[in-house]
Amino acid sequence: MDDRTDRLERGRAMMRRLSPRLGEDMADDLRAVAPDFEDLLLGFVFADVWARQGLPLRERALVRLGALTALGAPATATRANIDSALQAGLSRQEVSEAILQTLPYAGFPRAITALELLREFVEPAPGPSDPPEKQN
């Protein structure tokens, strides 16, 4: 196995560990429009950055969560990051608190957006058999 293949396999293993569902879906969706995206995502983000030894995965997830919230990252990236944070061992309460910690720096709109996305991981999405909410 050459260095590139080994790097991509290490990246794929880390991505599956942190975001087993959303990571693969994102890579698959973007492969058609940007064939090199998967190599960059797996090789750089997951093999080179996430696999470093300087911080435990939980702390890496907190750093990324704060950065993406403060930047006002798109929903897809924030959703994948929340999934990764939960996979890395953070509780929903810890993710919520990390987002709240960005308020003084990122502002309410960005924190609200991230909290709304976190809600998707807490509340099940309504299905066709769910009764409509009562109107007052």
Side-chain angles (χ1 to χ4, degrees), residues 33-44:
V33 294
D36 293 334
F37 176 79
E38 187 175 30
D39 283 357
L40 294 168
L41 178 69
L42 295 175
F44 176 64

Side-chain angles (χ1 to χ4, degrees), residues 17-18 50 52-63 88:
R17 180 176 178 189
L18 289 169
W50 272 93
R52 292 174 56 85
Q53 299 299 311
L55 288 174
L57 287 179
R58 288 176 99 274
E59 283 76 5
R60 288 174 199 275
L62 283 170
V63 170

Side-chain angles (χ1 to χ4, degrees), residues 23-105:
E24 291 284 347
D25 289 350
M26 182 174 52
D28 290 344
D29 289 346
L30 295 174
R31 188 179 300 117
V33 294
D36 293 334
F37 176 79
E38 187 175 30
D39 283 357
L40 294 168
L41 178 69
L42 295 175
F44 176 64
V45 175
F46 288 104
D48 293 348
V49 177
W50 272 93
R52 292 174 56 85
Q53 299 299 311
L55 288 174
L57 287 179
R58 288 176 99 274
E59 283 76 5
R60 288 174 199 275
L62 283 170
V63 170
R64 188 170 81 162
L65 179 63
L68 290 177
T69 300
L71 290 169
T76 302
T78 302
R79 191 177 289 113
N81 179 65
I82 291 169
D83 185 46
S84 295
L86 296 170
Q87 293 293 326
L90 292 165
S91 69
R92 288 175 181 87
Q93 184 175 349
E94 289 171 318
V95 171
S96 175
E97 184 61 30
I99 293 168
L100 291 177
Q101 289 295 315
T102 69
L103 278 171
Y105 316 103

